[in-house]
């Protein structure tokens, strides 16, 4: 059974940091990434990392967020620094066995495997 499980969310103050993790089981994925969604808004691309080590980030998080994968490429991490209230959302892990590049990897409709999400709340 294929499953993605996120963890690491919480309530923090502006300027704080959090690290999210996503563990995949059941198969391996070439592309793994993060999306986020606030109430009433569309699911938003955050960033992706492919098994070859290449990464893509949304402009809104570039320079603040960093995506990494463990050596076995079973766990995806999202290091979030300098958080602000605009980062408040449910963060979802997504994965795909294909190598999705800039454009395709930003489209949530391309992904069939999703975690249940972890809430990140940033207070002023």
């Amino acid at each position: 059974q294929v499953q993605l499980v996120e963890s690491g969310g919480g309530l923090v103050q502006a300027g704080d940091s959090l690290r999210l993790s996503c563990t995949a089981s059941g198969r391996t994925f070439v592309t793994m990434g993060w999306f986020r969604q606030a109430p009433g808004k569309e699911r938003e691309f955050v960033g992706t990392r492919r098994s070859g080590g290449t990464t893509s980030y949304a402009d809104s998080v570039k320079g603040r967020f960093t995506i990494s994968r463990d050596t076995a490429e079973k766990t995806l991490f999202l290091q979030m620094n300098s958080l602000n209230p605009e980062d408040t959302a449910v963060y979802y892990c997504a994965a795909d066995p294909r190598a999705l590049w800039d454009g395709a990897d930003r489209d949530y409709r391309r992904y069939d495997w999703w975690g249940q999400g972890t809430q990140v709340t940033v207070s002023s």
Side-chain angles (χ1 to χ4, degrees):
Q1 181 180 356
V2 177
Q3 187 175 22
L4 302 176
V5 179
E6 304 102 332
S7 63
L11 193 157
V12 298
Q13 295 181 345
D16 284 353
S17 298
L18 280 175
R19 191 178 80 156
L20 308 182
S21 63
C22 170
T23 299
S25 62
R27 69 160 300 153
T28 59
F29 299 96
V30 174
T31 304
M32 296 184 68
W34 294 94
F35 292 77
R36 64 187 183 185
Q37 188 168 22
K41 295 185 177 180
E42 292 186 277
R43 190 158 298 191
E44 178 188 17
F45 169 77
V46 176
T48 56
R49 187 177 181 92
R50 287 160 287 276
S51 60
T54 57
T55 56
S56 300
Y57 296 97
D59 289 341
S60 60
V61 305
K62 190 176 299 182
R64 298 189 298 121
F65 292 8
T66 302
I67 293 176
S68 61
R69 294 172 71 169
D70 66 350
T71 55
E73 298 187 332
K74 296 294 186 181
T75 302
L76 183 75
F77 302 97
L78 179 64
Q79 178 66 47
M80 303 184 293
N81 298 327
S82 301
L83 287 164
N84 58 63
E86 287 68 41
D87 296 315
T88 296
V90 177
Y91 283 70
Y92 296 94
C93 176
D96 196 275
R98 301 167 295 175
L100 301 179
W101 291 90
D102 196 39
D105 64 330
R106 297 171 180 260
D107 186 355
Y108 69 88
R109 296 170 295 180
R110 296 281 190 168
Y111 297 85
D112 290 328
W113 290 271
W114 293 87
Q116 293 186 342
T118 184
Q119 177 71 48
V120 173
T121 302
V122 185
S123 63
S124 300

